[in-house]
Amino acid sequence: MASSPCGNTNFDSGLEIKTRSVEQTLIPLVSQITTLINHKDKPNKSERTLAAIHRVGQAVSVAVGRFVAVGEAIASENQELKDEMGQACFEARRAGDAIAQLTDAGSPLPSQSEGCGTVFNDRTGMVKAARLLLSSVTKVLVLADRIVIKQIITSRNKVLVTLDHLERVSTFQEFVQIFSQFGNEMVEFAHLTGDRQNDLKDEKKKARMAAARAVLEKCTMMLLTASKTCLRHPDCESARINKDAVFQRMRCALEQVIEIVTEARSCGENKMLPASIYNGIKDFKSNVECLRENLYTLSPQSMGGQLEALVERTEDFTDSAYTSHEQRQAILGLCQLARQDTQQLVHAWVEAQSVHAKEATEGMEVAILKTCQSLNDLRRELHKVAVCRTTDLLKVHGEHLPLRALKAAGAEGNLEAVAEYSRTLTEQKEQLVETCRLLCHVSGTEPLEITCIHAEETFHVIGPQIISAAQTLALHPSSKIAKENLEVFCEAWESQLCDMALLLREINDVFEGRREKRSYLSLPRAGVSFSHSHPHEYSNHQMEQSSMAKLGLELRLLSSDVDTEVEKWEEQEHDIVRQSQSLASMAYNMYLFTRGEGLLKTTLDLFHQAEVLSEEGVQLCSSFRTFSTQLVDEEKSVVMTEMEKVVAFCQQLQMGGKTPVQGKTATFQKVDSSIQATRGILTVVLYLLPFCNKLNKKYKSERSSLGSPQDWRERQDASTPVKEEGALHNKNSNGFGVKCLEQHIAGLNILESK
């Protein structure tokens, strides 16, 4: 909110709004002030118009008065902001009173016959009052936002103090007590930072916050088991190394959160994002295309240097031991083509400058098009290489063979085998780290670049932690806690692989221009609690959450695959397509629930969504049954067999929805069962979609002679149930921390402009 409604002049150049909530809170006020000012441009005003102006002005004054009262109350509770907040509140009240006075013609209001010059006659005064009001109200909101930041810092400080105590405990009893306190403090910190992440306007900061909070989410469980292992085996060096690494990573993540919310500039913040090839190509193409407008802003030598710097970055691809010979040659060939096209462009450019041309010549235009095309081809090839590499790695690592081998070797106390499989895991880690770097080059957006860097750092850190946990187990093969600790680190590795699969899909979506990046990697804010009276209860809870997260990720991948398959259908209005899309959308909502995000806020919401999904599944089965009437016996048998599986899963969802549950364990089991059944439905649908699409194309020519699709669709039983709409609607939630301020300023929405 940098400008007033009166023009583009800044009403307070020292204020910058960084959160959506403050921005959205100001919108109704700006709207009403604009209404008042614009009325001056209408010379003839009816009595009704004058009355409307009067009401709007008085309502603004009253709303600002309530708003200021809340601001003053906040100031009295926060001494460090008392003077600034008091001054801003004083200015806001004064401006509100001025607006009320300028729109008040006395009581009663004079009629048009008596003249309207006394109502809103001072335009200069109104503009001045409006600017002062917007500036002061914005300042109050920004100052209130500082209190939210202060709350996050205070919460972080409490977590750090307790973290220090946890690191120094020497008895299990002491650890139990302090960890319970730590859990409560982490809950508070998770909620505060989650709200802040959702409220940030800067997408890069959002991505960095999500990455830091993902580290805290995973490290909290690691901290529990690593600490318990150290307490059980205090003389074990590998256990100590394992534990120290967790505490260090947690402190770094906490510090990163504070850097983001306070905009501090630490050593880590000063380090710029690595130069990606995508951005390099984008900037180079921009400079090339700018030559159409101005031939003299750049020099031909700088253009050549910029291209060479870009080509140098492709060495991350060509120098990799995992890049095939064919891929390497293709990249080198496209780099050489880009050089040749750029040289031709520079030659045509120099010729145009020599004759003092004012715009690009025809020869330059051709060279510009060829250069941009060669760069597009290079980008496409690099994207293909990075995506293929990632896909292949995810397939190979999906079996988790080194992890299984490490667990088995550790449980047997076989240190030699642990060392051997540790080398295998280290090699996989290096492959994954390098692949994340390649994905970063082609990610397409800065938030996705940040997520790639987070994935790279996670693999780099967790790999050695798994090895140290396996070494501890091998030294103490009968230790249950050492075994549990290794399991936790292996699950973190598997979880990061799932996140990497999602990241790959997002990068593909951006490359193909299908959709905006969805946010993920954030701590669950709803339905997840760290506050347990005992670490064993916390451990069980985290195991449940880990299981739920895996199921949720499977739903996310399946729903994305279903979306991809339905896009291949030529008849996008086909009932099968429409209903499959609906199922995928509801399944995605359920995935978001497992992360504490999205439309489903409670388990009741989830169970209701599952019932709606089952009804939609029944409707889809009806559509499949109708579709099968045109098929030969063998084809029809396949469709009907798979359709019966969907019916069974739908019945499971419906029966589960009607079964009441009590207690955390029973509720978790019901949630787990609902998501499992939904996964089963999507799996079958994902099989049927390409199968039926192929048959649909096959019979398309026959349909033209047999009649329209409606003809054979009408063969179905007339008693087909009617679809019921049951989708949940989104309710916007504001992430602004000072709720009372938000509520009072939102009262400005009721003002009506006439």
Side-chain angles (χ1 to χ4, degrees):
M1 189 63 57
S3 62
S4 75
C6 325
N8 295 324
T9 306
N10 289 349
F11 58 81
D12 190 333
S13 59
L15 294 177
E16 180 186 357
I17 297 175
K18 301 179 177 65
T19 57
R20 298 185 190 280
S21 54
V22 173
E23 186 175 69
Q24 292 300 313
T25 302
L26 286 170
I27 287 175
L29 178 60
V30 173
S31 174
Q32 298 307 318
I33 294 298
T34 303
T35 298
L36 289 175
I37 292 175
N38 288 344
H39 269 298
K40 180 66 181 77
D41 299 329
K42 302 174 182 178
N44 297 320
K45 299 182 179 68
S46 66
E47 184 175 343
R48 182 180 177 184
T49 299
L50 296 176
I53 293 173
H54 174 73
R55 288 197 305 271
V56 171
Q58 297 303 308
V60 167
S61 177
V62 171
V64 169
R66 291 196 299 265
F67 173 81
V68 166
V70 176
E72 289 171 341
I74 291 175
S76 65
E77 296 172 2
N78 296 269
Q79 292 299 315
E80 70 276 14
L81 296 178
K82 185 174 182 179
D83 292 341
E84 285 186 90
M85 182 73 87
Q87 181 62 29
C89 288
F90 172 77
E91 292 175 354
R93 191 186 297 277
R94 186 178 65 176
D97 291 343
I99 289 174
Q101 187 175 11
L102 287 166
T103 56
D104 187 7
S107 182
L109 283 170
S111 65
Q112 194 170 15
S113 61
E114 295 173 326
C116 59
T118 56
V119 178
F120 196 13
N121 194 39
D122 185 2
R123 178 178 176 81
T124 302
M126 175 56 71
V127 170
K128 183 178 179 181
R131 290 166 59 86
L132 178 61
L133 179 60
L134 289 174
S135 176
S136 55
V137 167
T138 302
K139 190 166 186 178
V140 170
L141 289 168
V142 172
L143 288 172
D145 194 55
R146 286 193 205 168
I147 297 170
V148 178
I149 295 172
K150 177 187 173 184
Q151 290 172 343
I152 294 174
I153 294 172
T154 302
S155 178
R156 186 283 306 258
N157 291 341
K158 289 195 295 184
V159 170
L160 276 179
V161 170
T162 311
L163 200 62
D164 289 341
H165 291 163
L166 273 178
E167 193 171 21
R168 294 195 300 268
V169 297
S170 56
T171 66
F172 189 77
Q173 184 177 2
E174 185 184 5
F175 174 78
V176 169
Q177 181 181 358
I178 297 177
F179 192 88
S180 178
Q181 177 186 342
F182 175 76
N184 290 326
E185 291 169 353
M186 281 299 295
V187 168
E188 178 188 13
F189 190 73
H191 281 283
L192 289 172
T193 55
D195 288 339
R196 190 67 179 182
Q197 177 185 320
N198 292 334
D199 202 23
L200 288 170
K201 291 172 61 180
D202 189 312
E203 292 299 325
K204 290 189 293 182
K205 290 179 182 176
K206 264 190 171 181
R208 291 184 65 227
M209 180 77 87
R213 296 176 71 244
V215 170
L216 293 173
E217 176 186 5
K218 292 174 182 175
C219 280
T220 301
M221 187 59 189
M222 296 176 190
L223 183 144
L224 172 64
T225 56
S227 297
K228 287 166 63 179
T229 304
C230 245
L231 287 170
R232 185 66 55 85
H233 308 289
D235 298 326
C236 182
E237 180 66 13
S238 57
R240 185 192 61 78
I241 291 172
N242 184 260
K243 170 189 164 185
D244 289 348
V246 176
F247 275 87
Q248 175 63 23
R249 194 162 186 236
M250 224 166 170
R251 287 190 177 98
C252 289
L254 289 166
E255 190 60 32
Q256 182 175 338
V257 169
I258 299 305
E259 288 174 11
I260 295 166
V261 299
T262 62
E263 299 189 320
R265 295 293 185 268
S266 69
C267 296
E269 175 74 6
N270 286 330
K271 184 175 67 173
M272 300 292 291
L273 285 175
S276 71
I277 294 175
Y278 171 84
N279 286 330
I281 290 176
K282 182 180 176 182
D283 293 342
F284 187 74
K285 282 178 59 180
S286 177
N287 288 338
V288 167
E289 291 171 341
C290 280
L291 294 177
R292 293 189 175 105
E293 307 296 329
N294 194 325
L295 303 181
Y296 304 97
T297 52
L298 297 171
S299 68
Q301 294 78 12
S302 66
M303 186 73 74
Q306 188 179 2
L307 177 65
E308 288 307 314
L310 173 60
V311 169
E312 185 178 345
R313 295 176 209 168
T314 64
E315 292 175 1
D316 282 345
F317 289 80
T318 56
D319 291 353
S320 171
Y322 308 108
T323 302
S324 69
H325 176 72
E326 292 77 11
Q327 291 172 334
R328 185 177 292 108
Q329 291 303 114
I331 294 170
L332 292 173
L334 288 169
C335 287
Q336 186 58 32
L337 180 61
R339 284 193 183 101
Q340 292 172 1
D341 290 339
T342 303
Q343 287 173 357
Q344 292 177 5
L345 172 60
V346 168
H347 180 71
W349 184 8
V350 171
E351 283 189 350
Q353 286 184 331
S354 66
V355 296
H356 305 291
K358 294 183 179 180
E359 57 184 20
T361 62
E362 184 176 343
M364 274 191 70
E365 183 62 36
V366 172
I368 288 171
L369 293 174
K370 288 180 64 179
T371 302
C372 290
Q373 183 59 48
S374 61
L375 290 169
N376 288 337
D377 292 342
L378 176 60
R379 181 198 169 198
R380 190 175 295 107
E381 180 64 26
L382 294 172
H383 177 85
K384 184 175 76 173
V385 170
V387 168
C388 288
R389 167 87 67 81
T390 308
T391 303
D392 292 343
L393 272 182
L394 289 173
K395 286 180 181 177
V396 171
H397 298 341
E399 299 296 324
H400 308 300
L401 296 180
L403 299 184
R404 294 179 185 176
L406 275 172
K407 292 176 190 177
E412 294 168 0
N414 190 337
L415 284 168
E416 290 184 3
V418 166
E420 178 184 347
Y421 293 124
S422 293
R423 286 190 289 271
T424 303
L425 184 67
T426 299
E427 182 179 348
Q428 284 195 356
K429 178 206 73 176
E430 291 171 353
Q431 288 180 339
L432 288 165
V433 165
E434 184 180 283
T435 302
C436 290
R437 203 169 295 136
L438 300 189
L439 284 177
C440 185
H441 274 304
V442 301
S443 56
T445 69
E446 287 185 319
L448 283 175
E449 285 181 29
I450 291 168
T451 308
C452 289
I453 293 169
H454 164 72
E456 177 185 340
E457 291 172 348
T458 300
F459 285 123
H460 185 75
V461 171
I462 292 183
Q465 288 180 311
I466 291 174
I467 293 170
S468 62
Q471 291 170 344
T472 302
L473 179 59
L475 291 170
H476 308 279
S478 61
S479 173
K480 291 183 179 179
I481 183 55
K483 183 178 180 181
E484 179 189 4
N485 189 46
L486 178 57
E487 285 283 354
V488 167
F489 282 95
C490 289
E491 286 180 3
W493 178 278
E494 294 167 8
S495 174
Q496 190 56 51
L497 284 174
C498 289
D499 279 341
M500 191 175 182
L502 292 179
L503 175 61
L504 177 62
R505 290 175 184 273
E506 299 291 355
I507 290 172
N508 264 329
D509 288 345
V510 170
F511 181 79
E512 296 171 10
R514 283 204 296 262
R515 58 172 70 95
E516 291 294 324
K517 176 183 177 294
R518 293 189 182 106
S519 61
Y520 53 93
L521 292 176
S522 59
L523 276 171
R525 296 189 298 111
V528 177
S529 174
F530 293 94
S531 54
H532 293 266
S533 59
H534 197 284
H536 288 307
E537 294 179 20
Y538 176 77
S539 175
N540 292 335
H541 179 76
Q542 282 294 310
M543 292 300 183
E544 292 175 353
Q545 290 296 327
S546 176
S547 171
M548 193 65 62
K550 289 180 183 178
L551 281 174
L553 286 169
E554 289 182 41
L555 280 189
R556 165 69 176 92
L557 296 173
L558 284 168
S559 62
S560 179
D561 288 338
V562 169
D563 284 337
T564 300
E565 286 301 327
V566 297
E567 286 175 4
K568 297 176 183 178
W569 281 62
E570 294 176 358
E571 301 173 37
Q572 284 296 301
E573 296 303 317
H574 199 290
D575 286 346
I576 290 177
V577 170
R578 183 170 47 78
Q579 290 158 352
S580 297
Q581 286 174 327
S582 179
L583 283 178
S585 177
M586 286 186 274
Y588 186 78
N589 282 341
M590 296 172 76
Y591 152 71
L592 291 177
F593 174 85
T594 66
R595 303 196 66 85
E597 302 169 1
L599 307 177
L600 311 178
K601 303 300 183 184
T602 67
T603 52
L604 291 178
D605 290 341
L606 178 75
F607 299 148
H608 176 67
Q609 182 77 102
E611 289 186 51
V612 175
L613 187 143
S614 70
E615 293 169 4
E616 189 75 3
V618 171
Q619 295 299 319
L620 179 59
C621 288
S622 177
S623 298
F624 278 129
R625 185 180 291 107
T626 301
F627 180 83
S628 67
T629 58
Q630 65 179 321
L631 308 179
V632 299
D633 290 344
E634 185 177 350
E635 297 166 343
K636 183 176 182 179
S637 175
V638 173
V639 174
M640 296 299 289
T641 300
E642 295 300 317
M643 187 190 71
E644 289 304 319
K645 296 179 184 178
V646 176
V647 171
F649 284 124
C650 290
Q651 290 174 344
Q652 180 182 335
L653 282 176
Q654 290 171 350
M655 291 175 61
K658 297 173 183 177
T659 305
V661 292
Q662 290 184 343
K664 291 183 179 179
T665 301
T667 301
F668 171 79
Q669 290 173 348
K670 184 174 178 179
V671 170
D672 181 77
S673 176
S674 299
I675 296 179
Q676 294 266 21
T678 302
R679 180 183 64 177
I681 292 172
L682 287 191
T683 301
V684 177
V685 170
L686 188 59
Y687 170 77
L688 283 173
L689 279 171
F691 182 74
C692 292
N693 189 24
K694 181 179 178 181
L695 294 176
N696 194 38
K697 292 177 180 177
K698 174 183 174 182
Y699 288 103
K700 193 172 183 179
S701 59
E702 297 179 18
R703 282 193 219 128
S704 59
S705 59
L706 294 174
S708 67
Q710 182 64 29
D711 294 334
W712 51 266
R713 196 156 50 226
E714 287 173 352
R715 299 174 194 173
Q716 65 176 316
D717 183 14
S719 62
T720 300
V722 179
K723 174 185 172 184
E724 294 182 7
E725 295 294 336
L728 293 170
H729 297 286
N730 189 13
K731 295 181 180 179
N732 293 327
S733 60
N734 202 321
F736 186 40
V738 188
K739 298 297 182 185
C740 49
L741 272 178
E742 175 189 1
Q743 291 162 2
H744 282 291
I745 197 67
L748 293 168
N749 279 314
I750 65 172
L751 307 179
E752 296 291 335
S753 59
K754 301 292 182 182

